[in-house]
Amino acid sequence: MGLARRLRNEYHARFTDKIQSWLDNGYGKCLLRHPRQQEIVATAFHHFDSDRYILDEYVVMPNHVHVIVMPADTEELKDILHSWKSFTANRLNEAHGGVGAFWMDENFDHWIRHDGKLSSAVRYTAMNPVKAGLATQWSDWPWTRVGQAFLPDLE
């Protein structure tokens, strides 16, 4: 294993994996734990589907979300994310009586450049509720969307 790979693995073990563990263990306020809040987010994802982007898969967890989306040629991912965050923050704050920022400023986005990476991202997204102990199988979590093309990979 080369030095670059070893450093990348060490970085993920120290930072990324730790954050994922916190998310899986339900750390934070978990303001998305109620079905009404989860529905607000899921509905927002669908709003401009096939117009500003192609919505592929997503999962709404109690304290974070994962989305696989392909922006339309005329759209920027940052603008799509801003739109989702702005709209849902207003609705979610209304729903739970909060004010101010709802989402973190940072987005952990990744480019998917080939089918193998897409399949891996879909599996990771769909299995997130199982990994977090919220469901026994991906299809038990109502706030998961997986496209038909990937169902055989998950079953």
Side-chain angles (χ1 to χ4, degrees):
M1 178 183 315
L3 179 60
R5 176 179 251 163
R6 202 168 354 149
L7 288 173
R8 187 172 54 241
N9 290 345
E10 182 178 341
Y11 171 85
H12 286 298
R14 286 186 178 193
F15 301 106
T16 309
D17 295 346
K18 184 174 292 275
I19 291 169
Q20 289 303 320
S21 174
W22 292 341
L23 292 173
D24 290 345
N25 286 305
Y27 284 39
K29 292 182 181 179
C30 294
L31 295 172
L32 300 175
R33 71 180 168 270
H34 301 292
R36 177 65 189 125
Q37 280 91 337
Q38 293 165 331
E39 181 182 10
I40 289 168
V41 174
T43 300
F45 291 158
H46 287 274
H47 187 73
F48 287 111
D49 186 19
S50 301
D51 181 25
R52 296 182 60 200
Y53 48 81
I54 303 298
L55 179 64
D56 214 22
E57 280 70 35
Y58 67 80
V59 64
V60 180
M61 300 291 287
N63 55 3
H64 68 287
V65 300
H66 295 277
V67 184
I68 301 174
V69 63
M70 183 175 71
D73 290 338
T74 59
E75 300 292 331
E76 295 285 332
L77 180 60
K78 67 179 178 62
D79 297 330
I80 294 166
L81 296 177
H82 174 77
S83 175
W84 286 340
K85 285 182 170 185
S86 176
F87 175 81
T88 58
N90 288 323
R91 296 302 177 276
L92 292 165
N93 277 334
E94 286 172 11
H96 80 278
V99 294
F102 186 90
W103 300 101
M104 291 178 58
D105 289 334
E106 179 61 53
N107 304 307
F108 297 99
D109 53 340
H110 303 280
W111 286 95
I112 297 176
R113 300 181 190 274
H114 56 81
D115 289 344
K117 184 73 171 175
L118 178 58
S119 182
S120 175
V122 168
R123 176 173 290 284
Y124 181 87
T125 299
M127 297 305 287
N128 217 246
V130 175
K131 183 179 168 206
L134 299 170
T136 56
Q137 55 188 11
W138 72 269
S139 56
D140 291 341
W141 189 248
W143 306 108
T144 302
R145 175 186 175 184
V146 175
Q148 295 294 316
F150 292 100
L151 291 180
D153 291 342
L154 294 170
E155 295 175 341

